Coordinates of all heavy atoms in Angstrom, one line a residue:
M1 N 79.6 106.9 91.8 CA 81.1 107.1 92.1 C 81.7 106.4 90.9 O 81.4 105.3 90.4 CB 81.4 106.5 93.4 CG 82.9 106.6 93.7 SD 83.2 106.7 95.5 CE 84.6 107.7 95.6
T2 N 82.9 107.0 90.5 CA 83.8 106.4 89.4 C 85.2 106.1 90.1 O 85.5 106.7 91.1 CB 83.9 107.3 88.2 OG1 84.7 108.4 88.6 CG2 82.6 107.6 87.7
N3 N 85.9 105.3 89.3 CA 87.2 105.0 89.9 C 88.0 106.2 89.8 O 89.0 106.4 90.6 CB 87.9 103.9 89.0 CG 88.6 102.8 89.9 OD1 88.2 102.6 91.1 ND2 89.7 102.2 89.4
D4 N 87.8 107.1 88.8 CA 88.6 108.3 88.6 C 88.4 109.3 89.9 O 89.3 110.0 90.3 CB 88.2 109.1 87.4 CG 88.7 108.4 86.2 OD1 89.6 107.7 86.2 OD2 88.1 108.7 85.0
S5 N 87.2 109.2 90.5 CA 87.0 110.0 91.7 C 87.8 109.7 92.9 O 88.0 110.4 93.8 CB 85.5 110.1 92.0 OG 85.0 108.8 92.2
L6 N 88.4 108.4 92.9 CA 89.2 108.0 94.0 C 90.5 108.7 94.1 O 91.1 109.0 95.0 CB 89.6 106.5 93.9 CG 88.4 105.5 94.2 CD1 88.9 104.1 93.9 CD2 87.8 105.7 95.4
F7 N 91.0 109.1 92.9 CA 92.3 109.7 92.7 C 92.4 111.1 92.8 O 93.0 111.8 92.0 CB 93.0 109.1 91.5 CG 93.1 107.7 91.4 CD1 92.2 106.8 90.8 CD2 94.2 107.0 92.2 CE1 92.3 105.5 90.8 CE2 94.2 105.6 92.2 CZ 93.3 104.9 91.4
T8 N 91.5 111.7 93.7 CA 91.4 113.1 94.0 C 91.8 113.5 95.4 O 91.6 112.6 96.3 CB 90.0 113.6 93.6 OG1 89.1 112.9 94.6 CG2 89.5 113.3 92.2
Y9 N 92.1 114.7 95.6 CA 92.5 115.1 96.9 C 91.2 115.0 97.9 O 91.4 114.6 99.0 CB 92.9 116.6 96.8 CG 93.1 117.1 98.3 CD1 94.1 116.9 98.9 CD2 92.1 118.0 98.8 CE1 94.4 117.4 100.3 CE2 92.3 118.5 100.1 CZ 93.4 118.1 100.8 OH 93.5 118.7 102.1
Q10 N 90.1 115.2 97.3 CA 88.8 115.2 98.1 C 88.6 113.8 98.7 O 88.2 113.6 99.8 CB 87.6 115.6 97.3 CG 87.7 117.1 97.0 CD 88.3 117.5 95.8 OE1 89.1 116.6 95.1 NE2 88.5 118.7 95.6
Y11 N 88.8 112.8 97.9 CA 88.6 111.3 98.5 C 89.6 111.0 99.5 O 89.3 110.4 100.6 CB 88.6 110.3 97.2 CG 88.4 108.9 97.9 CD1 87.1 108.5 98.2 CD2 89.4 108.1 98.1 CE1 86.8 107.2 98.7 CE2 89.2 106.9 98.7 CZ 88.0 106.5 99.0 OH 87.7 105.2 99.6
E12 N 90.9 111.3 99.3 CA 91.9 111.0 100.1 C 91.6 111.8 101.5 O 91.8 111.1 102.5 CB 93.3 111.4 99.6 CG 94.4 111.0 100.4 CD 95.8 111.2 99.7 OE1 95.8 111.3 98.6 OE2 96.7 111.2 100.5
Q13 N 91.3 113.0 101.4 CA 91.1 113.8 102.5 C 89.8 113.2 103.4 O 89.8 113.1 104.5 CB 90.7 115.2 102.3 CG 90.6 116.0 103.5 CD 91.9 116.1 104.3 OE1 93.0 116.2 103.8 NE2 91.9 115.9 105.5
A14 N 88.8 112.7 102.6 CA 87.6 112.2 103.3 C 87.9 110.9 103.9 O 87.4 110.6 105.1 CB 86.5 111.9 102.2
Y15 N 88.8 110.1 103.3 CA 89.2 108.8 103.9 C 89.9 109.0 105.1 O 89.6 108.5 106.3 CB 90.1 108.0 102.9 CG 90.4 106.7 103.6 CD1 89.5 105.5 103.4 CD2 91.6 106.5 104.3 CE1 89.8 104.4 104.0 CE2 91.9 105.3 104.9 CZ 90.9 104.2 104.7 OH 91.3 103.0 105.3
M16 N 90.9 110.1 105.2 CA 91.7 110.3 106.4 C 90.8 110.9 107.5 O 91.0 110.6 108.6 CB 92.8 111.4 106.0 CG 93.9 110.7 105.2 SD 95.4 111.7 105.0 CE 94.7 113.0 104.0
D17 N 89.9 111.6 107.1 CA 89.0 112.3 108.1 C 88.0 111.3 108.8 O 87.6 111.5 109.9 CB 88.1 113.4 107.5 CG 88.8 114.6 107.1 OD1 90.0 114.8 107.5 OD2 88.3 115.4 106.3
N18 N 87.8 110.1 108.1 CA 86.8 109.1 108.6 C 87.3 107.8 109.0 O 86.6 107.0 109.6 CB 85.7 108.9 107.6 CG 84.9 110.1 107.4 OD1 84.2 110.6 108.2 ND2 85.0 110.8 106.2
C19 N 88.6 107.4 108.7 CA 89.1 106.1 108.9 C 89.5 105.9 110.5 O 89.6 104.7 110.9 CB 90.3 105.9 108.2 SG 91.9 106.5 108.6
G20 N 89.6 106.9 111.2 CA 90.1 106.7 112.7 C 91.6 106.1 112.7 O 91.9 105.4 113.7
C21 N 92.4 106.5 111.8 CA 93.7 106.0 111.7 C 94.6 107.1 111.1 O 94.2 108.1 110.7 CB 93.7 104.7 110.8 SG 93.2 105.1 109.1
E22 N 95.8 106.8 111.2 CA 96.9 107.6 110.6 C 97.3 107.0 109.2 O 97.5 105.9 109.0 CB 98.2 107.6 111.5 CG 99.3 108.4 111.0 CD 100.5 108.2 111.8 OE1 100.4 107.6 112.8 OE2 101.6 108.8 111.4
V23 N 97.2 107.9 108.2 CA 97.6 107.4 106.8 C 99.1 107.6 106.6 O 99.6 108.7 106.7 CB 96.8 108.0 105.8 CG1 97.2 107.7 104.3 CG2 95.3 107.7 105.9
L24 N 99.8 106.5 106.6 CA 101.3 106.6 106.5 C 101.8 106.9 105.0 O 102.8 107.5 104.8 CB 101.9 105.4 106.9 CG 101.6 105.0 108.3 CD1 102.1 103.5 108.8 CD2 101.9 106.1 109.4
S25 N 101.0 106.3 104.0 CA 101.4 106.5 102.7 C 100.2 106.2 101.7 O 99.2 105.5 102.1 CB 102.6 105.7 102.2 OG 102.3 104.3 102.2
T26 N 100.2 106.7 100.5 CA 99.1 106.4 99.5 C 99.8 106.1 98.2 O 100.7 106.8 97.7 CB 98.4 107.7 99.3 OG1 97.8 108.1 100.6 CG2 97.1 107.4 98.5
I27 N 99.4 104.9 97.6 CA 99.9 104.5 96.2 C 98.8 104.1 95.4 O 97.7 103.6 95.9 CB 101.1 103.5 96.3 CG1 100.5 102.3 96.9 CG2 102.3 104.0 97.0 CD1 101.4 101.0 96.7
Q28 N 99.0 104.2 94.1 CA 98.1 103.5 93.2 C 98.5 102.0 93.1 O 99.6 101.7 93.0 CB 98.2 104.2 91.8 CG 97.2 103.6 90.8 CD 97.1 104.3 89.6 OE1 97.5 105.4 89.3 NE2 96.5 103.6 88.6
S29 N 97.5 101.2 93.1 CA 97.7 99.7 93.3 C 96.7 99.0 92.3 O 96.1 99.8 91.5 CB 97.5 99.3 94.7 OG 97.9 97.9 94.8
K30 N 96.6 97.7 92.4 CA 95.7 97.0 91.5 C 95.0 96.0 92.4 O 95.5 95.4 93.2 CB 96.3 96.3 90.3 CG 96.7 97.3 89.2 CD 96.4 96.7 88.0 CE 96.7 97.6 86.9 NZ 95.6 98.2 86.2
V31 N 93.7 95.8 92.2 CA 92.9 94.6 92.8 C 92.3 94.0 91.5 O 91.5 94.6 90.8 CB 91.8 95.1 93.8 CG1 90.9 93.9 94.1 CG2 92.4 95.9 94.9
D32 N 92.8 92.7 91.3 CA 92.4 92.1 90.1 C 92.9 92.9 88.9 O 94.1 93.3 88.8 CB 90.9 91.7 89.9 CG 90.6 90.7 88.8 OD1 91.5 90.0 88.3 OD2 89.4 90.6 88.5
N33 N 92.1 93.3 87.9 CA 92.6 94.2 86.8 C 92.1 95.7 87.0 O 92.1 96.4 86.1 CB 92.2 93.6 85.6 CG 90.6 93.6 85.4 OD1 89.9 93.7 86.4 ND2 90.1 93.3 84.2
I34 N 91.7 96.0 88.2 CA 91.1 97.3 88.5 C 92.1 98.1 89.3 O 92.6 97.7 90.3 CB 89.8 97.2 89.3 CG1 88.8 96.3 88.5 CG2 89.1 98.5 89.7 CD1 87.6 95.9 89.1
N35 N 92.2 99.4 88.9 CA 93.1 100.3 89.6 C 92.5 100.5 90.9 O 91.3 100.8 91.1 CB 93.4 101.6 88.9 CG 94.2 101.4 87.7 OD1 95.1 100.7 87.6 ND2 94.0 102.2 86.7
S36 N 93.3 100.6 92.0 CA 92.8 101.0 93.3 C 93.7 102.0 93.9 O 94.9 102.2 93.5 CB 92.7 99.7 94.2 OG 94.1 99.3 94.5
L37 N 93.2 102.6 94.9 CA 94.0 103.5 95.7 C 94.3 102.9 97.1 O 93.4 102.4 97.7 CB 93.2 104.8 96.1 CG 94.0 106.0 96.6 CD1 95.1 106.5 95.9 CD2 93.0 107.1 97.0
Q38 N 95.5 102.6 97.3 CA 95.9 101.8 98.6 C 96.5 102.8 99.5 O 97.5 103.5 99.2 CB 96.9 100.7 98.2 CG 97.4 100.0 99.4 CD 98.4 98.8 99.1 OE1 99.6 99.1 99.0 NE2 97.9 97.7 98.7
F39 N 95.9 102.8 100.8 CA 96.4 103.5 101.9 C 97.2 102.5 102.8 O 96.7 101.6 103.1 CB 95.3 104.1 102.7 CG 94.5 105.1 102.0 CD1 93.2 104.9 101.4 CD2 94.9 106.4 101.7 CE1 92.4 105.7 100.8 CE2 94.2 107.3 100.9 CZ 92.9 107.0 100.5
K40 N 98.4 102.9 103.2 CA 99.0 102.1 104.3 C 98.7 102.8 105.6 O 98.8 104.1 105.7 CB 100.5 102.1 104.2 CG 101.3 101.3 105.2 CD 102.7 101.1 104.9 CE 103.3 100.2 106.0 NZ 104.7 100.1 105.8
I41 N 98.0 102.1 106.4 CA 97.4 102.8 107.7 C 97.9 102.2 109.0 O 98.3 101.1 109.1 CB 95.9 102.7 107.6 CG1 95.4 101.2 107.5 CG2 95.3 103.4 106.4 CD1 93.9 101.0 107.4
K42 N 97.8 103.1 110.0 CA 98.2 102.7 111.3 C 97.1 103.1 112.3 O 96.7 104.2 112.1 CB 99.5 103.3 111.7 CG 100.1 103.0 113.0 CD 101.4 103.6 113.2 CE 102.3 103.0 114.2 NZ 103.7 103.6 114.3
R43 N 96.7 102.2 113.2 CA 95.6 102.5 114.2 C 96.0 102.1 115.6 O 96.5 100.9 115.7 CB 94.3 102.0 113.7 CG 93.2 102.2 114.5 CD 91.9 101.4 113.9 NE 90.9 101.5 114.9 CZ 89.7 102.3 114.6 NH1 89.6 102.8 113.4 NH2 88.8 102.3 115.4
K44 N 95.7 102.9 116.6 CA 95.8 102.4 117.9 C 94.6 102.0 118.5 O 93.6 102.8 118.4 CB 96.5 103.5 118.7 CG 97.9 103.8 118.3 CD 98.4 104.8 119.2 CE 99.9 105.1 118.8 NZ 100.5 106.3 119.3
E45 N 94.3 100.7 119.0 CA 93.2 100.2 119.5 C 93.4 99.4 120.7 O 94.1 98.3 120.7 CB 92.4 99.5 118.4 CG 91.1 99.1 118.7 CD 90.3 98.6 117.6 OE1 90.3 99.3 116.4 OE2 89.7 97.5 117.6
N46 N 92.8 99.6 121.9 CA 92.9 98.8 123.1 C 94.4 98.5 123.4 O 94.7 97.3 123.6 CB 92.1 97.4 122.9 CG 90.6 97.7 122.7 OD1 90.1 98.7 123.1 ND2 90.1 96.8 122.0
N47 N 95.3 99.5 123.5 CA 96.6 99.3 123.8 C 97.4 98.5 122.9 O 98.4 98.0 123.2 CB 96.8 98.8 125.3 CG 96.2 99.7 126.3 OD1 96.3 100.9 126.2 ND2 95.5 99.2 127.3
M48 N 97.0 98.5 121.7 CA 97.6 97.7 120.6 C 97.7 98.6 119.4 O 96.8 99.3 119.0 CB 96.8 96.4 120.2 CG 97.6 95.6 119.1 SD 96.5 94.2 118.6 CE 96.2 93.3 120.1
V49 N 98.9 98.5 118.8 CA 99.1 99.3 117.5 C 98.9 98.3 116.3 O 99.7 97.2 116.3 CB 100.5 99.9 117.4 CG1 100.8 100.6 116.1 CG2 100.7 100.8 118.7
L50 N 98.1 98.7 115.4 CA 97.8 97.9 114.2 C 98.3 98.5 113.1 O 98.3 99.8 112.9 CB 96.3 97.7 114.1 CG 95.4 97.0 115.2 CD1 94.0 97.0 115.0 CD2 96.0 95.5 115.4
L51 N 98.9 97.8 112.1 CA 99.3 98.2 110.8 C 98.8 97.6 109.7 O 98.4 96.4 109.9 CB 100.8 98.1 110.8 CG 101.7 98.9 109.8 CD1 101.4 100.4 110.0 CD2 103.1 98.4 110.0
G52 N 98.4 98.1 108.6 CA 97.9 97.5 107.5 C 97.6 98.3 106.2 O 98.2 99.4 106.1
Y53 N 96.8 97.8 105.4 CA 96.4 98.5 104.2 C 95.0 98.5 103.9 O 94.2 97.7 104.4 CB 96.9 97.7 102.9 CG 98.4 97.5 102.9 CD1 99.1 96.3 103.1 CD2 99.2 98.6 102.5 CE1 100.4 96.1 103.0 CE2 100.6 98.5 102.4 CZ 101.2 97.2 102.7 OH 102.6 97.1 102.7
A54 N 94.5 99.6 103.2 CA 93.1 99.7 102.8 C 93.1 100.0 101.3 O 93.7 101.0 100.9 CB 92.4 100.8 103.6
D55 N 92.6 99.1 100.5 CA 92.4 99.4 99.0 C 91.0 99.9 98.8 O 90.1 99.1 99.1 CB 92.8 98.2 98.3 CG 94.3 97.9 98.1 OD1 94.7 98.4 97.1 OD2 94.9 97.2 99.0
S56 N 91.0 101.0 98.1 CA 89.6 101.3 97.7 C 89.6 101.4 96.1 O 90.6 101.8 95.4 CB 89.6 102.9 97.9 OG 89.5 103.1 99.4
F57 N 88.5 100.9 95.6 CA 88.3 100.7 94.2 C 86.7 100.8 93.9 O 85.9 100.5 94.7 CB 88.9 99.5 93.5 CG 88.5 98.2 94.0 CD1 87.4 97.5 93.5 CD2 89.1 97.7 95.2 CE1 87.2 96.2 94.0 CE2 88.7 96.5 95.8 CZ 87.8 95.7 95.2
V58 N 86.4 101.0 92.6 CA 84.9 101.2 92.2 C 84.7 100.2 91.2 O 85.4 100.1 90.1 CB 84.6 102.6 91.8 CG1 83.2 102.8 91.2 CG2 84.8 103.6 92.8
V59 N 83.6 99.4 91.3 CA 83.1 98.5 90.2 C 81.6 98.8 90.1 O 80.9 98.7 91.0 CB 83.3 97.1 90.7 CG1 82.7 96.2 89.6 CG2 84.7 96.8 90.8
N60 N 81.2 99.1 88.8 CA 79.9 99.5 88.5 C 79.3 100.5 89.5 O 78.2 100.4 90.0 CB 78.9 98.2 88.6 CG 79.2 97.2 87.5 OD1 79.7 97.5 86.5 ND2 79.3 95.9 87.8
E61 N 79.9 101.6 89.7 CA 79.7 102.8 90.6 C 79.5 102.4 92.0 O 79.0 103.1 92.7 CB 78.5 103.4 89.9 CG 78.6 103.9 88.5 CD 77.4 104.6 88.0 OE1 76.3 104.6 88.6 OE2 77.5 105.0 86.8
V62 N 80.0 101.3 92.4 CA 79.9 100.9 93.8 C 81.4 100.8 94.4 O 82.3 100.3 93.8 CB 79.4 99.4 94.0 CG1 79.3 99.0 95.5 CG2 77.9 99.5 93.4
L63 N 81.5 101.6 95.5 CA 82.8 101.8 96.1 C 83.1 100.5 97.0 O 82.2 100.1 97.8 CB 82.8 103.0 97.0 CG 84.1 103.2 97.9 CD1 85.3 103.4 97.0 CD2 83.8 104.4 98.8
F64 N 84.2 99.9 96.9 CA 84.7 98.8 97.7 C 85.9 99.2 98.5 O 86.7 100.0 97.9 CB 85.0 97.6 96.8 CG 83.7 96.9 96.2 CD1 83.4 97.3 94.9 CD2 83.2 95.9 96.8 CE1 82.3 96.9 94.4 CE2 82.0 95.3 96.3 CZ 81.5 95.8 95.0
N65 N 86.0 98.7 99.6 CA 87.2 99.0 100.5 C 87.7 97.5 101.0 O 86.8 96.9 101.7 CB 86.9 99.9 101.6 CG 86.8 101.4 101.2 OD1 87.8 101.9 100.7 ND2 85.7 101.9 101.3
V66 N 88.9 97.3 100.7 CA 89.4 95.9 101.3 C 90.4 96.3 102.4 O 91.4 97.1 101.9 CB 90.0 95.2 100.1 CG1 90.7 93.9 100.7 CG2 89.0 94.8 99.1
V67 N 90.2 95.9 103.5 CA 91.1 96.4 104.6 C 91.8 95.0 105.2 O 91.3 94.1 105.5 CB 90.2 97.1 105.8 CG1 91.2 97.5 106.9 CG2 89.4 98.2 105.2
F68 N 93.1 95.3 105.4 CA 93.9 94.3 106.1 C 94.7 95.0 107.2 O 95.3 96.0 107.0 CB 95.0 93.8 105.0 CG 96.2 93.0 105.6 CD1 96.0 91.8 106.0 CD2 97.5 93.6 105.7 CE1 97.0 91.0 106.5 CE2 98.5 93.0 106.2 CZ 98.3 91.7 106.6
M69 N 94.4 94.5 108.5 CA 95.0 95.1 109.6 C 95.5 93.9 110.5 O 95.0 92.9 110.6 CB 94.0 95.9 110.5 CG 93.5 97.0 109.8 SD 94.5 98.4 109.6 CE 94.8 99.0 111.2
I70 N 96.8 94.1 111.0 CA 97.4 93.2 111.9 C 98.2 93.8 112.9 O 98.7 94.9 112.8 CB 98.3 92.2 111.0 CG1 98.7 91.1 111.8 CG2 99.4 92.9 110.4 CD1 99.0 89.8 110.9
P71 N 98.5 93.2 114.1 CA 99.4 94.0 115.0 C 100.7 94.3 114.4 O 101.2 93.5 113.5 CB 99.7 92.9 116.1 CG 98.3 92.0 116.1 CD 98.0 92.0 114.6
E72 N 101.2 95.4 114.6 CA 102.4 96.0 114.0 C 103.6 95.1 114.0 O 104.3 95.0 113.1 CB 102.7 97.4 114.7 CG 103.8 98.1 114.0 CD 104.0 99.5 114.6 OE1 103.9 99.6 115.9 OE2 104.3 100.4 113.9
T73 N 103.7 94.3 115.1 CA 104.8 93.5 115.2 C 104.9 92.3 114.3 O 105.8 91.8 113.9 CB 105.1 92.9 116.8 OG1 103.7 92.3 117.1 CG2 105.3 94.0 117.7
N74 N 103.6 91.9 113.9 CA 103.6 90.8 113.0 C 103.4 91.2 111.5 O 103.4 90.4 110.6 CB 102.3 90.0 113.3 CG 102.3 89.4 114.6 OD1 103.4 88.9 115.0 ND2 101.3 89.1 115.2
F75 N 103.3 92.5 111.2 CA 103.1 93.1 109.9 C 104.1 92.5 108.9 O 103.6 92.1 107.8 CB 103.0 94.7 109.9 CG 102.7 95.1 108.6 CD1 101.4 95.2 108.1 CD2 103.7 95.8 107.8 CE1 101.1 95.7 106.8 CE2 103.4 96.3 106.5 CZ 102.1 96.2 106.1
P76 N 105.4 92.5 109.1 CA 106.4 92.1 108.0 C 106.2 90.7 107.6 O 106.2 90.3 106.6 CB 107.7 92.3 108.7 CG 107.5 93.3 109.7 CD 106.1 93.1 110.2
R77 N 105.6 89.8 108.6 CA 105.6 88.4 108.4 C 104.4 88.2 107.5 O 104.3 87.2 106.7 CB 105.4 87.7 109.7 CG 105.3 86.2 109.6 CD 105.5 85.5 110.8 NE 105.3 86.2 112.0 CZ 104.7 85.8 113.1 NH1 104.3 84.5 113.2 NH2 104.4 86.5 114.1
Y78 N 103.2 88.9 107.5 CA 101.9 88.7 106.9 C 101.8 89.7 105.7 O 100.8 89.5 104.9 CB 100.8 88.8 107.8 CG 100.8 87.7 108.8 CD1 101.3 87.9 110.1 CD2 100.5 86.4 108.4 CE1 101.3 86.8 110.9 CE2 100.6 85.3 109.2 CZ 101.0 85.6 110.5 OH 101.0 84.5 111.4
Q79 N 102.7 90.6 105.5 CA 102.5 91.6 104.3 C 102.4 91.0 103.1 O 101.6 91.3 102.2 CB 103.7 92.6 104.4 CG 103.5 93.7 103.5 CD 104.7 94.6 103.6 OE1 105.6 94.4 104.4 NE2 104.6 95.9 103.0
S80 N 103.2 90.0 102.7 CA 103.2 89.3 101.5 C 101.9 88.4 101.3 O 101.4 88.2 100.2 CB 104.5 88.4 101.3 OG 104.5 87.4 102.2
E81 N 101.4 87.9 102.4 CA 100.1 87.2 102.3 C 99.0 88.1 101.8 O 98.1 87.6 101.1 CB 99.7 86.4 103.6 CG 100.7 85.3 103.9 CD 100.2 84.6 105.2 OE1 98.9 84.5 105.4 OE2 101.1 84.1 105.9
Y82 N 98.9 89.3 102.3 CA 97.9 90.2 101.9 C 98.1 90.4 100.3 O 97.1 90.4 99.6 CB 98.0 91.5 102.5 CG 97.0 92.5 101.9 CD1 95.5 92.4 102.1 CD2 97.5 93.7 101.2 CE1 94.7 93.3 101.6 CE2 96.5 94.6 100.7 CZ 95.2 94.4 100.9 OH 94.4 95.2 100.2
S83 N 99.2 90.6 99.8 CA 99.5 90.7 98.3 C 98.9 89.6 97.6 O 98.3 89.6 96.6 CB 101.0 91.0 98.0 OG 101.3 92.2 98.6
S84 N 99.2 88.3 98.2 CA 98.8 87.0 97.6 C 97.2 86.9 97.5 O 96.6 86.6 96.5 CB 99.3 85.8 98.2 OG 100.7 85.8 98.1
I85 N 96.7 87.3 98.7 CA 95.1 87.2 98.7 C 94.6 88.3 97.8 O 93.6 87.9 97.1 CB 94.7 87.6 100.2 CG1 95.1 86.3 101.1 CG2 93.2 87.8 100.3 CD1 94.9 86.6 102.6
K86 N 95.1 89.5 97.8 CA 94.6 90.5 96.9 C 94.6 90.1 95.4 O 93.7 90.3 94.6 CB 95.2 91.9 97.2 CG 94.5 93.0 96.6 CD 95.2 94.3 97.0 CE 96.4 94.5 96.2 NZ 97.0 95.9 96.4
S87 N 95.8 89.4 95.1 CA 95.9 89.0 93.7 C 95.0 87.8 93.3 O 94.9 87.6 92.1 CB 97.4 88.9 93.4 OG 97.8 87.5 94.0
S88 N 94.4 87.3 94.2 CA 93.7 86.0 94.0 C 92.2 86.5 93.7 O 91.3 85.7 93.3 CB 93.6 85.1 95.0 OG 92.9 85.6 96.3
F89 N 91.8 87.8 94.0 CA 90.5 88.3 93.8 C 90.1 88.2 92.2 O 90.9 88.5 91.4 CB 90.3 89.7 94.2 CG 90.3 89.9 95.6 CD1 90.5 91.2 96.2 CD2 90.2 88.9 96.5 CE1 90.6 91.4 97.6 CE2 90.2 89.1 97.9 CZ 90.4 90.3 98.4
D90 N 88.9 87.8 92.0 CA 88.4 87.7 90.6 C 87.1 88.6 90.5 O 86.1 88.1 91.0 CB 88.1 86.3 90.2 CG 87.6 86.2 88.7 OD1 87.8 87.0 88.0 OD2 87.1 85.1 88.4
I91 N 87.3 89.9 90.1 CA 86.2 90.8 90.1 C 85.7 90.9 88.7 O 86.2 91.1 87.7 CB 86.6 92.2 90.6 CG1 87.2 92.0 92.0 CG2 85.6 93.2 90.6 CD1 88.1 93.2 92.5
R92 N 84.3 90.7 88.7 CA 83.5 90.9 87.3 C 82.5 91.8 87.4 O 81.8 92.2 88.2 CB 83.0 89.5 87.1 CG 84.0 88.5 87.0 CD 83.4 87.0 87.0 NE 84.4 86.1 87.1 CZ 84.6 85.0 86.4 NH1 84.0 84.8 85.4 NH2 85.5 84.3 86.7

């Protein structure tokens, strides 16, 4: 797998078909210095609504997915923390 293959309709459709969630939006993002595809996702689980992000990126032909999920009511409070955590990654 290559990073370019993430930015295709087929990958986005496969993610939506398999995530068990609703994809609210999709943007190009960065994890360390690597381009990623970020999905904003929503999932209902055990009478709770979760909101979060899933970042997909490829390093050395290996697909990585970083997922951040939190109860929807707490999302605005912790959204910036996810950005800080993601920016602290050092991928080599």
Side-chain angles (χ1 to χ4, degrees):
M1 179 154 215
T2 67
N3 225 30
D4 289 339
S5 61
L6 292 178
F7 301 98
T8 65
Y9 172 77
Q10 290 85 359
Y11 180 78
E12 186 172 340
Q13 189 62 49
Y15 185 86
M16 288 189 291
D17 291 345
N18 293 294
C19 78
C21 63
E22 177 184 356
V23 175
L24 303 174
S25 64
T26 305
I27 62 167
Q28 186 173 343
S29 186
K30 288 228 181 243
V31 174
D32 194 19
N33 62 347
I34 299 167
N35 287 331
S36 72
L37 185 62
Q38 184 182 81
F39 299 103
K40 185 173 184 181
I41 55 178
K42 187 175 193 175
R43 180 182 175 113
K44 293 180 182 173
E45 190 170 305
N46 298 330
N47 297 321
M48 183 184 302
V49 177
L50 302 171
L51 194 59
Y53 295 111
D55 277 272
S56 299
F57 57 95
V58 176
V59 177
N60 296 327
E61 299 179 357
V62 176
L63 174 64
F64 291 86
N65 285 295
V66 177
V67 179
F68 166 77
M69 297 291 294
I70 192 157
E72 185 176 36
T73 56
N74 294 335
F75 183 77
R77 188 168 17 147
Y78 292 102
Q79 186 175 8
S80 63
E81 286 189 33
Y82 174 67
S83 296
S84 296
I85 291 167
K86 193 173 81 164
S87 69
S88 72
F89 291 162
D90 184 15
I91 301 170
R92 297 170 196 231

